[in-house]
Amino acid sequence: KQRFVKSLSLALCLGAAMASPQVLAKTFRVAVGDGAGGTQHELGKAFSEQLKERTGGKHDTQLFLNGQLGDEQATVNDASMGLLDFSILAINNVTPFSPSVGVLTLPYMVHSLDDAVTLTQGEVGQQLVDNTIRDAGVRIVGWAYSGFRVLTNSNRPVSSLEDLDGLKIRVPNNEIMIDTYRAWGINPTPMAWSETFTGLQMGVVDGQDNPYITVSAMKFDEVQKYITNIRYLFSIEPLIMSEAVFQEQPEDVQQAILAAGKAATEHSAQWLAVQEDRIKGELVKSGMEISEPANGEKEWMDKAVSQVWPKYYDLVGGKDKLNQILQSLGRDTL
Ligand code: MLT
């Protein structure tokens, strides 16, 4: 009799689980490219809390910081194949898989946090979400805002483009960023994010660019001395989800994921506004020196915009599309 009761309860459990898969708790795995204390980490924590709350504790996440689950670009492939649930990474590392998101990497396109929010949370952002599902098999469910990518190096203060001459600068494997440095007169070195700290430490490269908060989260102040406060790229970092895994979820869990992503995105914008100056101050205290770009950055901007933008009109959906985007930001059209 006891055995009968046991198998009956097992059958009931299995039956219930199969009839309503949402009762199965799941901890999603989230790859995070950066270290602790950065905007990616903050977005991941906020998303986890929100998801837990919105699923009555059934769903949670485990964050794997510092590229433990592979380099950022590799995580897009893994998520696309359904081998990884989520990844938080810089948008420039999504562009090779879904070219239209390159619009967010065009130099001097985004002038402020407000511009970043307008682009990602409005109509343009929705189109980028759709394109990324189509092109790369991953769904953007949230955004982290990380601030402008400033240039760091270990050799000398850099203010003008002439000062850049001879420096070996690491860039992500992103054509738009490579072309931007070429417009500035040097040939940069594409290198995976996961190799960048060691590359700087060993002197394979002299410098790189990333936001203040990322420089701090990655401990680059230990291997870099000089910062140039350029504002060519406002770093936007999506939380992407494997579309295959998203489609496996019941409707209520899908809705909870989307709502949690939205709430975490709002948190990210507020967090940046409060933390960026504090972290910049800490980097100075740790010994880094900040230079402003010469002549209000005019030459940096003129060269990058005139030489890089025309090459990418088609990639980002054509000149008309770009004009619509500029209009949505209250900017002059081309
Ligand atoms: C990169 O430079 O490859 C990325 O911006 C790194 C990051 O995700 O912070």
Side-chain angles (χ1 to χ4, degrees), residues 298-327:
K298 185 168 179 336
E299 205 188 353
W300 297 72
M301 182 154 105
D302 289 350
K303 287 234 156 92
V305 172
S306 66
Q307 292 180 37
V308 179
W309 281 40
K311 210 176 150 186
Y312 291 97
Y313 288 157
D314 287 347
L315 191 92
V316 301
K319 201 169 168 183
D320 289 347
K321 176 85 213 152
L322 209 49
N323 276 331
Q324 276 171 23
I325 295 174
L326 288 168
Q327 267 170 343

Side-chain angles (χ1 to χ4, degrees), residues 33-34 40 71-73 88-93 146 149 170-173 177 191-194 196 208-211 214 218 235 237:
D34 297 349
Q40 294 186 358
D71 183 63
E72 289 194 0
Q73 292 196 3
I88 307 177
L89 71 175
I91 194 70
N92 47 269
N93 287 328
S146 303
R149 295 175 72 108
R170 174 269 170 184
V171 285
N173 189 10
M177 295 169 78
M191 184 183 281
W193 182 230
S194 51
T196 302
Q208 63 85 48
D209 69 61
N210 259 291
T214 311
M218 299 307 291
S235 187
E237 318 213 51

Side-chain angles (χ1 to χ4, degrees), residues 91-311:
I91 194 70
N92 47 269
N93 287 328
V94 180
T95 321
F97 305 91
S98 187
S100 69
V101 300
V103 75
L104 301 175
T105 315
L106 282 180
Y108 301 96
M109 167 57 109
V110 177
H111 288 183
S112 62
L113 173 60
D114 281 352
D115 279 0
V117 169
T118 304
L119 283 183
T120 50
Q121 295 188 35
E123 204 181 307
V124 175
Q126 191 49 53
Q127 273 168 17
L128 297 180
V129 171
D130 296 343
N131 293 350
T132 310
I133 295 172
R134 182 197 62 204
D135 301 338
V138 296
R139 175 182 292 258
I140 298 170
V141 298
W143 302 93
Y145 304 104
S146 303
F148 289 102
R149 295 175 72 108
V150 295
L151 176 66
T152 69
N153 85 90
S154 53
N155 292 27
R156 55 172 178 258
V158 169
S159 174
S160 66
L161 292 181
E162 289 72 55
D163 298 332
L164 262 187
D165 196 25
L167 287 180
K168 285 177 284 168
I169 303 294
R170 174 269 170 184
V171 285
N173 189 10
N174 176 299
E175 290 303 321
I176 301 178
M177 295 169 78
I178 293 170
D179 279 336
T180 302
Y181 276 90
R182 287 192 178 142
W184 289 339
I186 62 167
N187 236 336
T189 308
M191 184 183 281
W193 182 230
S194 51
E195 288 162 21
T196 302
F197 183 91
T198 314
L200 294 167
Q201 190 178 39
M202 306 298 285
V204 179
V205 283
D206 304 312
Q208 63 85 48
D209 69 61
N210 259 291
Y212 287 109
I213 295 178
T214 311
V215 170
S216 165
M218 299 307 291
K219 303 196 189 323
F220 285 173
D221 52 316
E222 292 174 6
V223 289
Q224 297 280 269
K225 170 85 177 156
Y226 302 101
I227 296 179
T228 311
N229 196 28
I230 50 174
R231 299 163 72 85
Y232 85 113
L233 251 196
F234 189 100
S235 187
I236 298 176
E237 318 213 51
L239 166 66
I240 60 170
M241 179 176 191
S242 163
E243 181 62 7
V245 176
F246 183 80
Q247 291 303 338
E248 279 166 12
Q249 306 307 312
E251 169 78 22
D252 59 338
V253 176
Q254 289 183 345
Q255 289 312 320
I257 289 169
L258 297 177
K262 199 163 185 300
T265 301
E266 277 154 25
H267 171 76
S268 175
Q270 286 158 11
W271 193 80
L272 175 71
V274 175
Q275 301 295 330
E276 191 175 31
D277 274 351
R278 180 184 67 77
I279 289 174
K280 184 175 168 183
E282 277 176 6
L283 291 174
V284 172
K285 250 191 243 152
S286 79
M288 295 194 84
E289 286 176 21
I290 302 182
S291 307
E292 291 302 323
N295 303 321
E297 210 171 334
K298 185 168 179 336
E299 205 188 353
W300 297 72
M301 182 154 105
D302 289 350
K303 287 234 156 92
V305 172
S306 66
Q307 292 180 37
V308 179
W309 281 40
K311 210 176 150 186

